[in-house]
Amino acid sequence: MTLNPELVHATAIALNGRGILLAGKSGSGKSDLAIRLIDRGAKLVCDDYCDIIDGGDYPFIVAKPTIAGKIELRGVGILKLDYVEKAPLFVVFRLDQQPERLPDSNKEMHVAGWSIPSFAIAPFENSAALKVEYLIQQMIDAGRRPMRLVTPGYKRSAV
């Protein structure tokens, strides 16, 4: 059963079928890192705002219809790109936190009733896209994935 969508301020891409959230404040490098990953083969899901829904076996990132296929690049403008409407959420990269030299691989972020693996990354480093790919491969090798926090059918109370 699908929970009501949870709106998140993030840019999302799909890399080899795995949804990646790039989370951070305006100007933190979400779109910049996304476009570099898209250049390496990822697909845009959504830029700036996304809905997260409970898809049963995974949480899913869903593109907002009003901005689907569009990404804003500072100094360039709004580009229209090929995109996917949704992708299973696999990992969150936090762009407005300083990455640790040797990161704790057990950090997580709670979104839409799920615990999502989470890493801090410096988005403007030349190696940022490679680091995203390496961290994802480490997660795959370790069998790490999002874990449900609540049972299906749970209704969040209005705040």
Side-chain angles (χ1 to χ4, degrees):
M1 179 177 239
T2 301
L3 293 174
N4 292 332
E6 183 172 324
L7 181 68
V8 294
H9 182 175
T11 293
I13 58 167
L15 185 61
N16 298 323
R18 292 176 179 87
I20 300 165
L21 276 184
L22 304 173
K25 298 179 246 177
S26 290
S28 64
K30 299 181 299 292
S31 300
D32 189 275
L33 180 53
I35 203 74
R36 284 184 277 144
L37 287 159
I38 290 166
D39 188 52
R40 297 177 60 82
K43 287 281 191 188
L44 178 66
V45 179
C46 50
D47 184 40
D48 209 27
Y49 287 96
C50 315
D51 281 331
I52 309 298
I53 62 169
D54 183 343
D57 293 332
Y58 264 91
F60 276 83
I61 306 164
V62 180
K64 301 294 281 178
T66 56
I67 57 174
K70 297 175 186 171
I71 187 168
E72 180 187 354
L73 293 179
R74 287 179 190 257
V76 175
I78 297 175
L79 303 177
K80 291 183 181 180
L81 301 177
D82 288 338
Y83 72 101
V84 295
E85 291 181 10
K86 68 178 186 175
L89 176 53
F90 188 69
V91 64
V92 176
F93 288 98
R94 301 175 322 276
L95 307 187
D96 51 4
Q97 296 179 7
Q98 184 65 31
E100 300 170 25
R101 182 172 177 208
L102 298 172
D104 177 0
S105 63
N106 293 316
K107 290 198 176 174
E108 58 192 33
M109 182 177 260
H110 295 172
V111 181
W114 290 80
S115 173
I116 313 298
S118 174
F119 299 92
I121 195 161
F124 296 115
E125 290 181 351
N126 290 335
S127 60
L130 287 170
K131 289 177 182 179
V132 165
E133 292 170 350
Y134 281 123
L135 285 165
I136 289 170
Q137 189 59 55
Q138 286 178 356
M139 286 179 55
I140 292 167
D141 292 346
R144 196 155 174 237
R145 59 166 281 171
M147 301 297 292
R148 182 183 299 284
L149 293 173
V150 296
T151 56
Y154 168 79
K155 302 285 188 209
R156 287 183 288 157
S157 59
V159 183

